Amino acid sequence: MGLSRLAALHGVATSFSPSAGVTVPVPERTVVAVLGALGVDAATPAQVARSLAAAESVAASRLLPPTVVVWSGEPLPPALTALPPDASLTVEPERRPGATGEPPPLRMRIPKTPPATGEGTPTWWSEPPPGVHRVTVRAPGHRRTAATLVVAPGRVPQPPRRTHGFLVQLYSLLSARSWGMGDLGDLADLAAWSGRTLGTGFVQVNPLHAAVPDRPGDPSPYRPSSRRFPDPVHLRVESVPEYGHVPERAALGDLRQDAAALSDTVLNKGALIDRDAVRELKWQALELIVRVPLTPGRRAAYCDYLAEQGQALEDHALWCALAEAYGPRWRDWPAPLRDPRSPATARARTELMDRVDFHCRLAWLTDTQLAAAQRAAREAGMAVGIVHDLAVGVHPDGADTWARQDAFAHGMSVGAPPDAFNAQGQDWGLPPWRPDALAASGHAPYRDLLRGLLAHAGALRIDHVMGLFRLWWVPEGRPPTEGTYVSYDAEAMLAVLVLEAHRAGAVVVGEDLGTVEPGVREALARRGVLGTSVLWFERDWDGGGRPLAPERWRRDCVATASTHDLPSTAARLTGEHVTLRHRLGLLTRPLEQELAEDATGTAEWLSFLARLRLLPEGDGDEEAAVRAVHRFLLRTPARMTGIWLPDTVGDRRPQNLPGTWDQYPNWRLPVADAEGHPVTLEEITASPRLHRLMEVFRAAEDPPGSSTAPPAARRR
């Protein structure tokens, strides 16, 4: 009982429910290990008793929890209304970046005889402006508590109108100018073309976070070195203003030839996208480019960027410089350098100053091109623009874990418990944030992360958005089946998210597929966070499992037919995704049985589409069926409709096949046509198949007798 109570006080689950009516106990050694990662000693019954007494004493002595959330226009939380009479509050308002002077504190006092509850906002309360503030409470008897006060709007911004757009893995989108993989120039071009020509409202991309510069590198964009800063491998080198002033023209010419050859091997010779080779070529070019002196205006802009990013950028750039010298795994570095605040590390900052500046410059250049992509999207009339993606975690040896070691739970990894699709559970190899450390810092790492990502985003997609509420922690060396859930302060995480999205004017989309804790979707919807609905999973599970009628879909979502972790629509319609998994040995049942079940499910959907008169071409036409699927999505009330870009040209291959590592070329395939031949951005924009599909959207938006407004008229 003592261990269970201690675990509950720290948000550590001692059991979980994989399905309704089923409860699975968590191994005691897992609970002990997770508590240990949170700095709580529970190794023996005596230690459990001492830790429990300490935790209960702290809880009893606090007048407020570590973080208090106030939603503007809503009743005050119990944490404030339950404060004792005659207590005084002092709120030190947040100082926003760029602001001059210190904002004056707000002082309030609860009357000795407070009004009865239920009478609306207390008269003693003066709401601070939206922000992350510091509040101190003093009560009679010399009790004093300081806490973080988050004041947030009630909801995140919403799309100004119902809209549709493309979903694409940026690396897979090569143009005639790419250096072996898609880049930010290609993103800006896709946004400008699709917004102006097709009337699309957004382009959603994979995470563009900085990768670990290893060889061979991990190609997954969902296991980055840092989520705080973007990866310069996405730079369009020729678009850097200093490019035209590099004196070594012959050297740049040779690099461009090498880049063209690299692209040719991907587009015409069946090679996979090789980020390591792309990185090497771009770094050689960028080494030449950064030697060109910045103009006064460019120098001032760079200095502003350095000042805005502060210590976080310096730490990130130093990690990059140290990784060049000692390798990308900081736990293998000389012991003094493993501590970002050690004297040896301070000396390294000076000794490696040129390399630190190089990596700071690259971060700035990438930031400017991210801004240019969003600007191109909005100038093309897009209602939302670029939708960036936030990965659920970072590489255990990356820059973020080195710079903010106190924020991560060492010896733990994020994953997923066993379920109907994976009896062994999953271990994603991502160290989780410590909820206690987040609370102690006023959620500073989380706030900084969001501000960086939202700076040039029309919307933010959050991978595994359920992680704002709880994550499955797996102790190092244990199988995923021996993990447990650890809870986060979901109210605080949501409030910070809403606050930062509101400041950026950005929409928020949560990837809420799979096992979702009861109440999570409702909590997200209340705050305006859109969900993700994939056609093949939307069935009436309470009424026989038949396809869910379009009018019964939720409104607050992005509706789509596929994602980066799922088969393309053509592959699903033809059953090719089943035969692919068979070839790779991933099926747990005979191929004939899997194919029969898959064909039954597909036929059920096609029959449903035909009954709704969305398949006028009849059966047997795979391209027509893809159009019918998207006609169906437009019948739903979904605020945003996502079109998987490979679907527009008939690509049959998934970008990622969960459950594989080296058996399948995950995250390394260019967009290809129905025959499997890679296609460039230029070829995609000219594709008759794409334009036939997009006629579905044009017809839905422009009924007979109407006309389409030019892009300039569509801007808000």
Side-chain angles (χ1 to χ4, degrees):
M1 182 62 70
L3 182 62
S4 297
R5 170 65 177 159
L6 180 63
L9 285 173
H10 293 279
V12 180
T14 54
S15 65
F16 67 99
S17 299
S19 58
V22 177
T23 300
V24 178
V26 173
E28 184 174 304
R29 66 174 185 169
T30 295
V31 176
V32 172
V34 171
L35 285 170
L38 292 170
V40 180
D41 192 343
T44 67
Q47 288 290 359
V48 169
R50 282 193 288 270
S51 296
L52 180 58
E56 290 180 331
S57 174
V58 169
S61 65
R62 289 192 62 90
L63 292 164
L64 291 174
T67 305
V68 179
V69 172
V70 171
W71 298 101
S72 295
E74 298 183 17
L76 289 185
L80 291 175
T81 58
L83 287 171
D86 207 28
S88 64
L89 289 80
T90 301
V91 177
E92 299 172 28
E94 175 185 21
R95 181 177 180 180
R96 295 293 307 280
T100 58
E102 293 288 344
L106 298 175
R107 292 184 171 84
M108 294 164 256
R109 180 175 291 278
I110 300 174
K112 293 183 179 181
T113 307
T117 58
E119 297 182 7
T121 302
T123 56
W124 58 264
W125 173 252
S126 298
E127 184 168 297
V132 180
H133 315 298
R134 196 67 180 162
V135 59
T136 302
V137 177
R138 291 178 174 82
H142 305 289
R143 297 172 65 196
R144 178 183 180 278
T145 294
T148 298
L149 173 65
V150 183
V151 180
R155 290 168 59 85
V156 300
Q158 300 296 290
R161 58 180 179 272
R162 193 177 184 204
T163 187
H164 63 274
F166 291 125
L167 318 177
V168 64
Q169 299 283 287
L170 181 56
Y171 58 83
S172 71
L173 183 69
L174 281 75
S175 70
R177 298 184 180 183
S178 303
W179 284 33
M181 62 179 279
D183 60 37
L184 291 170
D186 298 322
L187 176 59
D189 212 31
L190 174 65
W193 168 77
S194 64
R196 294 177 183 277
T197 305
L198 304 175
T200 57
F202 64 91
V203 175
Q204 178 181 304
V205 294
N206 55 282
L208 304 182
H209 309 319
V212 175
D214 206 354
R215 285 194 71 94
D218 185 343
S220 173
Y222 290 91
R223 202 163 182 252
S225 168
S226 173
R227 296 187 294 173
R228 176 64 183 81
F229 294 100
D231 196 330
V233 76
H234 299 110
L235 279 169
R236 169 67 62 83
V237 172
E238 295 93 333
S239 295
V240 177
E242 289 72 38
Y243 177 88
H245 301 279
V246 172
E248 297 91 346
R249 306 309 300 173
L252 281 182
D254 290 343
L255 289 171
R256 289 189 63 176
Q257 287 187 356
D258 291 343
L262 188 60
S263 286
D264 183 62
T265 65
V266 174
L267 293 170
N268 300 309
K269 298 179 181 178
L272 300 175
I273 292 170
D274 186 346
R275 288 174 181 74
D276 299 333
V278 174
R279 188 180 302 275
E280 184 174 336
L281 285 176
K282 289 191 176 182
W283 257 236
Q284 291 181 55
L286 290 164
E287 294 279 4
L288 299 175
I289 290 171
V290 299
R291 295 177 193 168
V292 176
L294 295 172
T295 64
R298 294 269 293 165
R299 169 62 63 181
Y302 178 45
C303 290
D304 281 351
Y305 178 77
L306 293 176
E308 291 167 1
Q309 305 305 317
Q311 186 71 51
L313 176 59
E314 186 179 327
D315 286 344
H316 175 73
L318 178 58
W319 182 91
C320 293
L322 289 169
E324 291 176 337
Y326 299 102
R329 290 173 174 76
W330 63 265
R331 289 178 177 82
D332 295 335
W333 293 352
L337 296 178
R338 297 174 203 163
D339 179 358
R341 303 292 172 252
S342 72
T345 303
R347 288 194 297 273
R349 291 178 192 271
T350 302
E351 294 165 359
L352 298 172
M353 186 179 300
D354 288 346
R355 299 310 300 167
V356 170
D357 183 68
F358 174 75
H359 291 289
C360 285
R361 182 85 70 92
L362 264 54
W364 172 59
L365 294 175
T366 312
D367 184 79
T368 61
Q369 291 195 8
L370 286 168
Q374 174 64 2
R375 188 164 55 249
R378 298 311 300 270
E379 289 175 352
M382 284 191 165
V384 175
I386 308 302
V387 183
H388 287 284
D389 198 351
L390 171 60
V392 71
V394 293
H395 195 286
D397 288 311
D400 282 2
T401 59
W402 175 74
R404 300 299 299 258
Q405 294 176 38
D406 58 323
F408 291 91
H410 301 289
M412 295 289 147
S413 177
V414 174
D419 56 30
F421 301 99
N422 194 324
Q424 300 304 312
Q426 300 175 60
D427 184 343
W428 302 332
L430 309 170
W433 267 336
R434 287 179 53 162
D436 59 327
L438 286 178
S441 68
H443 292 80
Y446 177 53
R447 288 154 47 203
D448 292 345
L449 171 62
L450 291 175
R451 286 177 184 173
L453 287 167
L454 290 166
H456 308 304
L460 179 65
R461 174 190 181 271
I462 301 179
D463 192 46
H464 193 71
V465 71
M466 298 81 78
L468 299 181
F469 295 76
R470 65 178 186 177
L471 285 172
W472 184 258
W473 288 23
V474 181
E476 186 176 354
R478 310 272 177 81
T481 52
E482 294 188 22
T484 189
Y485 280 113
V486 175
S487 296
Y488 291 78
D489 186 342
E491 190 84 347
M493 299 288 273
L494 272 177
V496 171
L497 173 63
V498 172
L499 174 66
E500 296 301 337
H502 184 80
R503 286 172 168 172
V507 176
V508 178
V509 179
E511 186 270 301
D512 56 352
L513 303 175
T515 302
V516 183
E517 184 182 10
V520 166
R521 286 196 175 104
E522 293 77 6
L524 292 169
R526 183 184 180 195
R527 298 305 167 195
V529 177
L530 305 184
T532 302
S533 293
V534 178
L535 179 131
W536 312 102
F537 304 150
E538 291 295 318
R539 291 176 173 269
D540 183 7
W541 298 111
D542 296 326
R546 291 180 292 275
L548 191 67
E551 63 272 12
R552 293 183 58 193
W553 282 43
R554 53 181 170 170
R555 178 173 180 265
D556 295 329
C557 75
V558 175
T560 184
S562 189
T563 72
H564 60 267
D565 281 334
L566 297 173
S568 69
T569 306
R572 190 176 287 276
L573 289 168
T574 59
E576 290 185 28
H577 68 110
V578 178
T579 56
L580 172 61
R581 294 175 66 232
H582 171 68
R583 289 198 304 271
L584 298 175
L586 299 177
L587 298 183
T588 57
R589 297 182 297 176
L591 174 62
E592 295 74 16
Q593 185 178 351
E594 293 275 1
L595 283 172
E597 183 176 302
D598 182 72
T600 299
T602 301
E604 189 174 25
W605 267 107
L606 290 175
S607 176
F608 187 46
L609 296 175
R611 290 199 305 274
L612 293 174
R613 299 183 180 181
L614 299 176
L615 190 54
E617 299 89 345
D619 294 337
D621 186 334
E622 169 254 304
E623 182 186 341
V626 172
R627 292 197 294 270
V629 162
H630 289 86
R631 289 190 188 103
F632 179 91
L633 295 176
L634 286 173
R635 284 275 189 96
T636 74
R639 295 182 66 91
M640 298 172 68
T641 302
I643 309 157
W644 180 235
L645 187 66
D647 275 348
T648 66
V649 289
D651 198 344
R652 307 292 179 90
R653 308 164 307 169
Q655 281 294 318
N656 177 51
L657 193 59
T660 63
W661 180 248
D662 55 3
Q663 307 100 307
Y664 185 80
N666 296 320
W667 318 114
R668 289 171 287 172
L669 293 171
V671 177
D673 61 19
E675 286 71 45
H677 186 275
V679 289
T680 63
L681 172 59
E682 292 83 359
E683 290 168 329
I684 290 171
T685 62
S687 166
R689 176 166 177 153
L690 177 144
H691 286 279
R692 287 192 292 269
L693 174 59
M694 298 311 294
E695 280 294 333
V696 169
F697 292 86
R698 189 173 293 112
E701 292 186 348
D702 302 325
S706 67
S707 60
T708 302
R714 292 198 303 268
R715 297 176 198 156
R716 56 170 185 154

